[in-house]
Amino acid sequence: MAFLPDESRALPPPPLLNKGSVWLGFVGWMSALMDNAFNQRPIFRAGIHRQVLLASLGYFVGYQLVKRAEYVHAKADRELFEYIRHHPLDFQSPTEKKRIGQLLEDFYPIR
């Protein structure tokens, strides 16, 4: 699948109830309700099957988007840690800590 490469299977799956899936499930349900309202049908009682379908479709899309976002973040983290591992001299911690007074310049008021 082009949306998620095969290397994303090594990641743990996101929780079933996450922010993206619940939010897009709610958006799908609201779009079915808006369709009922625009077509002058009873908002909650008409087209229950359509409401369930759009809510579950939104939930699925949200879950896949969260999965994709986790893969992209994991890939960026892996590349960053690989760069740090190959360039250890650029990321050495200083042996002595500097005080804030040593970092800032002296203040001379102008008047």
Side-chain angles (χ1 to χ4, degrees), residues 22-38 41 43-44 46-47 50-59:
V22 171
W23 176 251
L24 284 179
F26 178 73
V27 168
W29 181 57
M30 290 306 290
S31 65
L33 295 181
M34 294 291 284
D35 180 54
N36 285 344
F38 288 144
R41 293 187 289 240
I43 294 176
F44 288 106
R50 198 170 46 252
Q51 293 177 24
V52 171
L53 174 70
L54 290 178
S56 59
L57 181 68
Y59 178 85

XYZ file of all heavy atoms in Angstrom, residues 22-38 41 43-44 46-47 50-59:
253
model
N -11.677 9.234 16.576
C -12.932 9.684 17.196
C -13.404 10.984 16.554
O -14.591 11.146 16.249
C -12.751 9.846 18.723
C -13.950 10.517 19.341
C -12.508 8.495 19.366
N -12.476 11.883 16.310
C -12.842 13.176 15.718
C -13.413 12.990 14.311
O -14.460 13.546 13.978
C -11.634 14.096 15.703
C -11.896 15.404 15.035
C -11.407 15.810 13.849
C -12.733 16.469 15.491
N -11.870 17.067 13.535
C -12.696 17.488 14.533
C -13.518 16.645 16.621
C -13.404 18.666 14.680
C -14.216 17.829 16.751
C -14.156 18.816 15.791
N -12.746 12.221 13.471
C -13.248 12.043 12.112
C -14.501 11.173 12.071
O -15.338 11.325 11.176
C -12.164 11.485 11.206
C -11.115 12.523 10.796
C -10.058 11.883 9.917
C -11.741 13.681 10.080
N -14.660 10.266 13.030
C -15.921 9.531 13.139
C -17.071 10.469 13.456
O -18.162 10.361 12.883
N -16.819 11.422 14.350
C -17.825 12.425 14.684
C -18.130 13.317 13.480
O -19.288 13.641 13.213
C -17.347 13.271 15.876
C -18.292 14.352 16.263
C -19.481 14.051 16.901
C -17.995 15.677 15.988
C -20.362 15.060 17.264
C -18.865 16.685 16.346
C -20.054 16.375 16.986
N -17.108 13.687 12.729
C -17.304 14.515 11.535
C -18.135 13.756 10.493
O -19.015 14.329 9.844
C -15.949 14.969 10.959
C -16.100 15.568 9.569
C -15.300 15.968 11.888
N -17.873 12.455 10.337
C -18.669 11.651 9.403
C -20.121 11.581 9.819
O -21.031 11.698 8.978
N -20.364 11.399 11.110
C -21.735 11.341 11.599
C -22.432 12.683 11.405
O -23.580 12.751 10.965
C -21.734 10.929 13.064
C -23.102 10.820 13.658
C -24.131 10.034 13.224
C -23.592 11.522 14.792
N -25.229 10.204 14.020
C -24.923 11.116 15.005
C -23.027 12.452 15.660
C -25.696 11.610 16.035
C -23.809 12.936 16.694
C -25.123 12.519 16.875
N -21.716 13.780 11.695
C -22.309 15.104 11.522
C -22.590 15.408 10.048
O -23.559 16.105 9.731
C -21.401 16.187 12.117
C -21.333 16.165 13.625
S -22.922 16.223 14.430
C -23.421 17.878 14.082
N -21.761 14.889 9.159
C -22.035 15.121 7.733
C -23.313 14.399 7.299
O -24.065 14.924 6.474
C -20.851 14.680 6.888
O -20.665 13.292 6.979
N -23.578 13.217 7.866
C -24.845 12.537 7.558
C -26.026 13.320 8.109
O -27.066 13.434 7.453
C -24.826 11.121 8.128
N -25.852 13.890 9.303
C -26.935 14.698 9.878
C -27.164 15.972 9.069
O -28.302 16.402 8.875
C -26.620 15.042 11.332
C -26.554 13.875 12.316
C -26.270 14.391 13.715
C -27.813 13.052 12.283
N -26.088 16.572 8.603
C -26.219 17.780 7.776
C -26.908 17.455 6.445
O -27.708 18.252 5.944
C -24.849 18.397 7.515
C -24.164 18.935 8.752
S -24.954 20.375 9.404
C -24.408 21.568 8.241
N -26.610 16.291 5.884
C -27.273 15.875 4.652
C -28.775 15.734 4.880
O -29.578 16.159 4.040
C -26.666 14.559 4.158
C -27.317 14.076 2.882
O -27.364 14.856 1.907
O -27.793 12.919 2.863
N -29.141 15.146 6.019
C -30.568 15.037 6.339
C -31.200 16.418 6.504
O -32.323 16.649 6.042
C -30.767 14.235 7.627
C -30.546 12.760 7.410
O -30.537 12.278 6.287
N -30.334 12.041 8.493
N -30.494 17.316 7.144
C -31.060 18.646 7.375
C -31.218 19.415 6.071
O -32.241 20.085 5.857
C -30.168 19.422 8.342
N -30.224 19.336 5.188
C -30.296 20.069 3.926
C -31.384 19.521 3.004
O -31.970 20.262 2.226
C -28.957 20.039 3.200
C -27.910 20.895 3.861
C -26.591 20.492 3.879
C -28.233 22.103 4.454
C -25.630 21.263 4.478
C -27.276 22.890 5.061
C -25.962 22.466 5.076
N -35.179 16.249 5.722
C -35.630 14.982 6.295
C -35.489 15.101 7.810
O -34.765 15.968 8.297
C -34.763 13.826 5.780
C -34.942 13.572 4.298
C -34.201 12.332 3.890
N -32.759 12.560 3.926
C -31.956 12.445 2.876
N -32.428 12.077 1.715
N -30.676 12.678 2.996
N -33.811 14.870 11.084
C -32.352 14.889 11.192
C -31.811 13.602 11.794
O -30.895 12.985 11.237
C -31.906 16.117 12.013
C -32.252 17.384 11.248
C -30.408 16.069 12.292
C -31.950 18.654 11.976
N -32.361 13.156 12.923
C -31.799 11.977 13.589
C -32.446 10.668 13.157
O -31.812 9.627 13.180
C -31.949 12.117 15.116
C -31.028 13.143 15.700
C -31.519 14.364 16.118
C -29.676 12.895 15.816
C -30.678 15.322 16.650
C -28.823 13.841 16.352
C -29.327 15.059 16.769
N -33.929 9.793 10.107
C -33.848 9.356 8.710
C -32.431 8.891 8.391
O -31.449 9.518 8.781
C -34.242 10.485 7.776
N -32.344 7.814 7.677
C -31.056 7.345 7.175
C -30.088 6.909 8.259
O -28.920 7.300 8.242
N -27.070 5.320 6.850
C -26.115 6.272 6.292
C -25.297 6.933 7.400
O -24.096 7.169 7.245
C -26.862 7.317 5.468
C -25.978 8.071 4.503
C -26.762 8.921 3.520
N -27.824 9.721 4.124
C -29.126 9.483 3.995
N -29.545 8.474 3.279
N -30.018 10.249 4.581
N -25.925 7.182 8.524
C -25.211 7.754 9.658
C -24.146 6.798 10.174
O -23.012 7.199 10.433
C -26.187 8.110 10.785
C -27.143 9.231 10.444
C -28.132 9.481 11.561
O -27.864 9.165 12.710
N -29.271 10.045 11.221
N -24.512 5.549 10.309
C -23.555 4.542 10.780
C -22.431 4.369 9.766
O -21.251 4.269 10.133
C -24.273 3.196 11.057
C -23.278 2.088 11.333
C -25.244 3.346 12.210
N -22.767 4.346 8.489
C -21.761 4.167 7.444
C -20.761 5.317 7.438
O -19.541 5.092 7.425
C -22.430 4.059 6.072
C -21.472 4.012 4.880
C -20.727 2.696 4.877
C -22.208 4.238 3.591
N -21.236 6.553 7.457
C -20.327 7.695 7.409
C -19.516 7.833 8.698
O -18.344 8.230 8.662
C -21.092 8.970 7.100
C -21.629 9.060 5.663
C -22.408 10.334 5.461
C -20.502 8.963 4.661
N -20.113 7.490 9.835
C -19.360 7.546 11.088
C -18.248 6.497 11.093
O -17.113 6.788 11.486
C -20.287 7.342 12.274
N -18.557 5.292 10.641
C -17.517 4.249 10.619
C -16.470 4.538 9.552
O -15.278 4.257 9.761
C -18.142 2.870 10.403
O -18.853 2.845 9.187
N -16.872 5.126 8.445
C -15.903 5.506 7.416
C -14.959 6.598 7.941
O -13.741 6.527 7.748
C -16.626 5.996 6.161
C -15.742 6.410 4.996
C -15.039 5.189 4.431
C -16.558 7.095 3.935
N -15.507 7.585 8.635
C -14.678 8.621 9.232
C -13.745 8.066 10.290
O -12.579 8.461 10.390
N -14.239 7.115 11.094
C -13.412 6.471 12.111
C -12.240 5.740 11.459
O -11.098 5.855 11.905
C -14.265 5.504 12.929
C -13.483 4.766 13.974
C -13.267 5.331 15.215
C -12.954 3.504 13.718
C -12.547 4.665 16.186
C -12.226 2.843 14.669
C -12.025 3.420 15.902
O -11.293 2.756 16.849
